[in-house]
Amino acid sequence: MSVADERQAASLEGIDVTYKAEYIWIDGTEPTAKLRSKTKVLADGAEPPLWGFDGSSTNQATGHSSDLVLKPVFTCPDPIRGGDNVLVMCEVLHTDMTPHATNTRSLLAGVAERFADQESWFGIEQEYTFFKDSRPLGFPLGGFPAPQGGYYCGVGADEVFGRDIVELHLDRCLAAGLKISGINAEVMPGQWEFQVGPAGPLEVSDHMWVARWLLYRTAEEFDVAATLDPKPVKGDWNGAGAHTNFSTKAMREGYDPIITACEALGGNAMEHVKNYGHGIEDRLTGHHETARWDKFSYGVSDRGASVRIPWQVEVDKKGYIEDRRPNANVDPYVVTRLIVDTCCAALAKAGQV
């Protein structure tokens, strides 16, 4: 019997038709926030309403005043439960409806609105690592695999680990309507990447958080954990980043605004780095395709620079830039807010809008 037939039968029997809404939010865990979620059963046709939760259990409130509010801001089909069920990304509010301190989305919304006329686009490359039995997927018990090199975009059971999880995650993101635009195996065994975008700052961030939730939830079914640790294995192994590609309308039409954006990022480098994810000094060492965290640089086709200008952008004299500094564990709402604020303010001041 199809879902439609089941719903019709339930209706004929006088049973209230319902659907499930999985409410997802960002908690207050430090130094890196975690995702939480819980399910609300709603009547057919009802919009997901405001809902509450116990903030004292998520590092967001004290026990004597623990009630906090979930405000739905983005809804998409639930590709795991199927049917009419949905995933609901939420902001966290106090009971007086003001944003909670952990609500980084509300800060982004104000900045995005202020510079909306510049039409910012983002594409975020989310690297992550699968772990099983306290070691990266593909690492032998009590030792190390062959040195990195052949694993990147590799093929074969001796070089690729976790592809079944990755493919299912991709299918689920597509079924949810997320703007996922690609996947690839990364430099270390068990390490992968997916990309979200191009999209505006709020949209790319909402989609990225839901895609992360789907990643954790999908890996859970295989008894595997997915981590955004920026340096999951010490030593001669690449870290995990969230390279962030950015452009405005002016940058997509000319080269001078691209240089203005790069210079602006350099002028505000430390403000960005300290908000680009916990443990950034472990990853941005000047090795393994990174620039040092305390030295800013930009260059054409340079993956050892803080900000890369793709070679085709220099040829075309228009396009986008790639900020290579954000960690895998960066908050998308934070990185997009900082880049929009820094670059769009500089472009406006230069009259390059």
Side-chain angles (χ1 to χ4, degrees):
M1 182 182 291
S2 70
V3 172
D5 290 338
E6 288 177 352
R7 292 171 64 81
Q8 184 177 15
S11 179
L12 291 173
E13 293 171 10
I15 301 172
D16 290 336
V17 180
T18 59
Y19 72 98
K20 302 167 191 169
E22 189 71 16
Y23 279 57
I24 302 166
W25 74 97
I26 303 164
D27 77 359
T29 301
E30 294 181 346
T32 301
K34 297 165 58 176
L35 283 170
R36 308 282 184 137
S37 69
K38 62 175 183 172
T39 307
K40 190 172 185 65
V41 177
L42 295 169
D44 186 39
E47 291 295 319
L50 296 176
W51 201 15
F53 72 99
D54 172 15
S56 68
S57 297
T58 62
N59 303 304
Q60 289 169 295
T62 58
H64 69 275
S65 182
S66 63
D67 288 337
L68 291 175
V69 177
L70 295 173
K71 174 188 174 184
V73 291
F74 169 67
T75 301
C76 66
D78 183 342
I80 298 175
R81 287 173 168 148
D84 291 331
N85 302 303
V86 296
L87 304 178
V88 185
M89 190 67 204
C90 299
E91 289 188 5
V92 176
L93 308 177
H94 292 287
T95 54
D96 64 0
M97 299 300 119
T98 58
H100 189 270
T102 58
N103 185 346
T104 52
R105 189 184 191 276
S106 65
L107 296 175
L108 168 61
V111 172
E113 182 178 1
R114 179 152 40 99
F115 294 108
D117 61 330
Q118 295 196 37
E119 299 178 24
S120 296
W121 289 358
F122 286 89
I124 301 178
E125 306 169 23
Q126 177 69 72
E127 295 176 343
Y128 60 92
T129 310
F130 287 133
F131 268 71
K132 187 174 179 64
D133 299 327
S134 301
R135 63 185 184 275
L137 198 63
F139 273 52
L141 181 63
F144 290 89
Q148 62 185 31
Y151 307 108
Y152 174 71
C153 295
V155 62
D158 57 337
E159 293 188 336
V160 175
F161 308 92
R163 193 186 294 277
D164 46 357
I165 309 173
V166 171
E167 291 290 343
L168 180 55
H169 174 250
L170 173 61
D171 288 344
R172 286 175 169 178
C173 286
L174 291 170
L178 304 181
K179 287 193 172 180
I180 191 166
S181 49
I183 57 171
N184 61 269
E186 268 300 334
V187 175
M188 190 178 77
Q191 193 177 66
W192 291 82
E193 173 183 302
F194 65 86
Q195 304 93 36
V196 173
L202 282 167
E203 184 178 36
V204 78
S205 300
D206 288 339
H207 286 214
M208 179 58 78
W209 274 116
V210 174
R212 285 177 173 180
W213 185 89
L214 281 170
L215 175 66
Y216 302 145
R217 180 63 180 77
T218 300
E220 177 187 315
E221 296 174 14
F222 294 79
D223 196 26
V224 168
T227 176
L228 305 186
D229 189 320
K231 192 69 173 178
V233 180
K234 307 302 181 187
D236 192 20
W237 299 96
N238 273 32
H243 301 153
T244 301
N245 301 281
F246 168 74
S247 70
T248 64
K249 184 174 184 291
M251 293 166 67
R252 295 189 291 273
E253 295 176 350
Y255 199 70
D256 287 345
I258 286 171
I259 300 303
T260 298
C262 289
E263 292 286 346
L265 289 170
N268 199 25
M270 288 301 100
E271 176 67 16
H272 284 245
V273 165
K274 74 179 184 181
N275 288 287
Y276 273 8
H278 178 70
I280 203 160
E281 299 92 343
D282 294 330
R283 175 175 152 267
L284 298 186
T285 61
H287 303 289
H288 303 111
E289 299 181 300
T290 69
R292 278 186 57 87
W293 67 272
D294 56 351
K295 296 184 185 298
F296 180 85
S297 61
Y298 68 90
V300 175
S301 197
D302 186 356
R303 283 179 165 78
S306 308
V307 174
R308 179 178 69 95
I309 301 172
W311 69 272
Q312 191 65 47
V313 171
E314 186 186 44
V315 171
D316 295 340
K317 299 301 179 186
K318 61 182 180 179
Y320 68 97
I321 59 176
E322 177 194 41
D323 192 336
R324 296 181 58 78
R325 297 169 296 170
N327 271 353
N329 59 0
V330 74
D331 181 345
Y333 295 132
V334 172
V335 67
T336 55
R337 171 176 59 82
L338 288 171
I339 291 176
V340 168
D341 206 7
T342 294
C343 294
C344 290
L347 290 166
K349 184 176 180 180
Q352 296 172 331
V353 296

